[in-house]
Amino acid sequence: MIGLLLSICLSSACGEKTVATVSNEVDAIEIIDVLRENGIEAEKVETAEGEAKRWSIVVKEGMFGSGTFQLAVQVLRDHGLPRPEETPNKESSLFPGSEEARRAEEQRRLRADIERQLRALPGVTRVIVNLVVPGDQTLEIEKTEPSASVLIVHRDQQPAFNDRQVQNMVAKAVPRLKPENVSVTMSQQPPRPVPYDELRARRNNNLLFAAAFALIIILACVLLVLFLQSRRQRAELAALRQAQGETEEEAEGDAAAEGERSTKDLVARR
């Protein structure tokens, strides 16, 4: 009984929680690597949403909520994970054969490729790219040149790249785009320190709470067993006393009957 209660408590105290879900295995592996670099064990679980495969990244919460899940979420946010997933353009979904839909889908893929390349730069956590690529300007008198704006969030105080390098990377990816028409904004967002001491103290407190809770359960079970044994012993003692009383009554009845017979015999002899 005690083992059953303890197993129930432990099963409710420990569990796995999903910190992210991505659409490809490469992103899932990247998230797991980042979490393990910060001392958090995680694993990927393949799931299915309709016909599409997805991967969930789960962490073990530990004894009575040790804070691992909150820490994993913090680490992923500081590293810009999971990456934002590109969704198909609405026009391409409504009018898949139109020229406008084709151009919008092409720009979407181009923007996604540029963001993927920029995220590969050291220390980059988030990238947002906006492209302005004019369509056919054959009949236009004043032609508009392509332009782009780039926002890069990085961790390092001094990034290993500069604005000019970013402008050249973006310009080479877009036809007729000149580097001077690429606006670059870089912002530093250092990762927050991982509160290992706080987590360790919380884990120790939770272990003490678990030990005290288990001790209370054991004491309650022991008291329950003692109470049931005492109750059974009282019932057995009462039954024994009742049986002994009945035996004494029978003995007294037999003695009275014997005395009465003896009296009758003496009277008869006289």
Side-chain angles (χ1 to χ4, degrees), residues 160-179:
F161 50 90
N162 53 39
D163 294 3
R164 189 64 181 175
Q165 292 173 326
V166 174
Q167 289 175 329
N168 291 332
M169 288 180 64
V170 177
K172 289 179 181 179
V174 181
R176 299 182 294 107
L177 177 60
K178 298 178 181 178

Side-chain angles (χ1 to χ4, degrees), residues 8-23:
I8 293 175
C9 294
L10 291 176
S11 62
S12 62
C14 305
E16 294 183 345
K17 288 189 175 182
T18 301
V19 294
T21 303
V22 293
S23 59

Side-chain angles (χ1 to χ4, degrees), residues 199-215:
L199 291 175
R200 190 178 300 110
R202 182 187 300 178
R203 188 176 296 110
N204 292 336
N205 291 336
N206 291 336
L207 289 175
L208 291 176
F209 174 77
F213 187 72
L215 182 60

Side-chain angles (χ1 to χ4, degrees), residues 8-132:
I8 293 175
C9 294
L10 291 176
S11 62
S12 62
C14 305
E16 294 183 345
K17 288 189 175 182
T18 301
V19 294
T21 303
V22 293
S23 59
N24 61 82
E25 192 172 8
V26 176
D27 290 345
I29 294 174
E30 180 184 7
I31 291 175
I32 291 176
D33 291 340
V34 170
L35 291 176
R36 288 179 177 174
E37 287 175 359
N38 289 271
I40 303 173
E41 285 298 324
E43 59 182 10
K44 56 183 175 65
V45 178
E46 184 177 342
T47 59
E49 293 184 3
E51 298 180 355
K53 287 185 178 180
R54 297 184 67 84
W55 282 263
S56 297
I57 293 83
V58 297
V59 296
K60 292 184 177 180
E61 180 61 17
M63 289 291 296
F64 292 90
S66 60
T68 305
F69 174 76
Q70 290 81 356
L71 177 60
V73 172
Q74 172 186 320
V75 170
L76 294 183
R77 285 179 178 174
D78 291 344
H79 288 77
L81 297 171
R83 310 293 189 193
E85 298 181 2
E86 287 288 334
T87 56
N89 190 276
K90 291 183 178 180
E91 287 190 17
S92 62
S93 301
L94 296 175
F95 308 102
S98 65
E99 182 65 22
E100 291 294 330
R102 185 193 63 80
R103 187 164 61 250
E105 183 64 20
E106 183 179 349
Q107 289 190 17
R108 185 189 69 82
R109 287 198 300 265
L110 183 60
R111 186 178 67 253
D113 291 339
I114 295 174
E115 290 179 350
R116 191 178 299 109
Q117 291 177 9
L118 294 176
R119 282 197 299 265
L121 293 173
V124 173
T125 57
R126 285 188 291 276
V127 176
I128 298 177
V129 175
N130 290 318
L131 295 177
V132 179

